Amino acid sequence: MLKANMSTDRAYYSSSIEGFLSASPDSVLGEVTRSSGFAIELTQRDAWLRQIAVLREHLTLWSGQGHLFFEFVVPRMGRRIDVLVIIKHAVFVIEFKVGESKFNRSALDQVWDYALDLKNFHEPSHTITIAPVLIATEAHDVLSTVAESHHNDGVLFPIKASPASLRKCIETVLSVGEGPIIDPLLWVSGRYKPTPTIVEAASALYDQHSVADLSRSDAGAKNLLVTSVAVDQLIERAKTERRKAICFVTGVPGAGKTLVGLDVATKHMDAKSELHSVYLSGNGPLVKILCEALARDEVARKKTEGVRLRVGETRKAVQAFIQNVHHFRDAYLADQRAPIDHVVIFDEAQRAWTLEQTTQFMARKKGRANFNRSEPDFLISCMDRHMDWAVVVCLVGGGQEINTGEAGISEWIDAIQRHYPDWDLHISPHLADSEYAAVDALDALKTRPSVHFNEDLHLAVSMRSFRAEHVSSFVKHLLDREKTLARAALDSIRQRYPIVVTRDLPKAKQWLKSQARGSERYGIVVSSQAERLKPHAINVRSPMDPVHWFLDNKDDVRSSYYLEDVATEFHVQGLELDWACVVWDADLRSGTTGWHHRQFVGNKWQNINKAERQTYLKNAYRVLLTRARQGMVIVVPTGDLEDPTREPSFYDPIFEYLRGVGLAVL
């Protein structure tokens, strides 16, 4: 048992229940206040005193049988649980709403999120009963039903309780759950292996947490930290030796490439530092979402410390190190000086534009008729303006090109080979894998000096799905029409990562809602070519704002939760949902020998004959099918015999193929 009043890094106050009950309220308050590290407003002080009073009155029955923590930190979420109590074989996650008499949905979701975070990412919590409890201090005679959800993982539905019913709540939970007595010392010191969303991770890094805080500590996922360190080392080497270098980091979908880039950028946010870095992405929705999320989070975080910030000013600070690559490009078209940054990180570097695409754009939009550089070539040339040293970090996703004019990674290598003989190259050996389409370009480097292959520059394990790391393998085999391999991959993930298929969109929506708990985000995603889903109230041409879709809560009709607006591959690439509904239209059809690729033009479907555009469409579905962290439902419409653009024969083979690889039918 932990000693009474022993502080931990995880909580402002930690004590056995016996020690807590024997201490004076003022001494408990004093320790909580001292540990907080910032000035406490009277409202917060009074709230803590009210919590202390409620707990002192209702925990007496379990003196000597448990432990409690005030302001217990939830690392992945960067927030603190009001009170966490361990009694016998159960953990009680208690959130107080002081002065409130009602139990609103956002508060219930909040306490549920805390419980789920422990269950999913804290090793000692995987097999125990966790009870999320919301106490409205002005409510009277309230105690909701104590029950476990159909997930059957030990996390109970949120319990609504008034202060006077807390004792009865604890008794009921202890009678419902079962298991061995929890050792508080072992529990609190257990490994915490978080898998944050990209938005959560960016927020933590911006708050000066290290990527090590966000990395799971199991052997497979240590690679994230290893890769980040490898990039740091080559940057330091370039700076020390006054060299210019380009680095290629590869990784499977969801492995954390963006996290590596953000880690480098957030370490060097000081514009006066020689190591000042900027994170660039051509993914407009991702940049907007990250900037808005960081600005909102920073304002909220400072508010808890009594500091008032304006969102607009905070946005400007964020945009100094997270930028749209096209804005960066345009700035240094006009300004011929070297960038202020010695280090630039290009996320999704394979999506940079070809020479043809860039030349057409410059002539049409910028009035530069004689521009003759590809986007990679021009971006490298900007960094080559530095007289001393510079580093370009390219984060590369395989099979991720989804738009016309995207060059792939070979254009970066070709540009370096043609125009920058003095630059060093640091390359992940996996760049030679088929999905990166860079084999020919790499062959040309065999006689070039200063080419370094480094296995640490590859991220092999997907972190997007903490339930099943090999979802991307299943999707690859599914899209490559390798049915036997797809079945085997599905068998390896199905226990922890449900994937179901249905012909009924309303049923799929209900499935999503039933699976999601707390504020777990869910939404509908479709191909940008899915033009014939309008009868299902899905219009890919209807404007949607990805910032509202990804960041706003369940009360906002523009959010993904409403299941009205849908996102395409362009909106969701690089981001993730907890639960996804993928609606599969007749643009990618299943045939006896492979996929048939279609686009809807005018009033009919037409063949897509160019191999490049066929690849874009296949990759679009790869993006859609790898967005969900916890599970997904795939909807294949039934079609309509009276509508020649939606013939059942377009859709039935898709459904049969998916069912044939082993997907359960909803």
Side-chain angles (χ1 to χ4, degrees), residues 479-498:
L479 293 175
D480 287 347
R481 310 283 296 194
E482 298 168 333
K483 292 182 69 172
T484 301
L485 292 174
R487 286 194 200 100
L490 182 62
D491 287 340
S492 72
I493 65 177
R494 67 168 78 243
Q495 293 301 316
R496 288 179 53 78
Y497 187 98

Side-chain angles (χ1 to χ4, degrees), residues 34 102 177 214 253 279 302 315 374 402 404 420 525 574:
R34 281 192 299 273
K102 296 182 179 179
L214 306 172
Y279 166 90
K302 292 298 184 183
R315 286 193 189 108
S374 66
I402 57 175
T404 301
Y420 309 98
V525 295

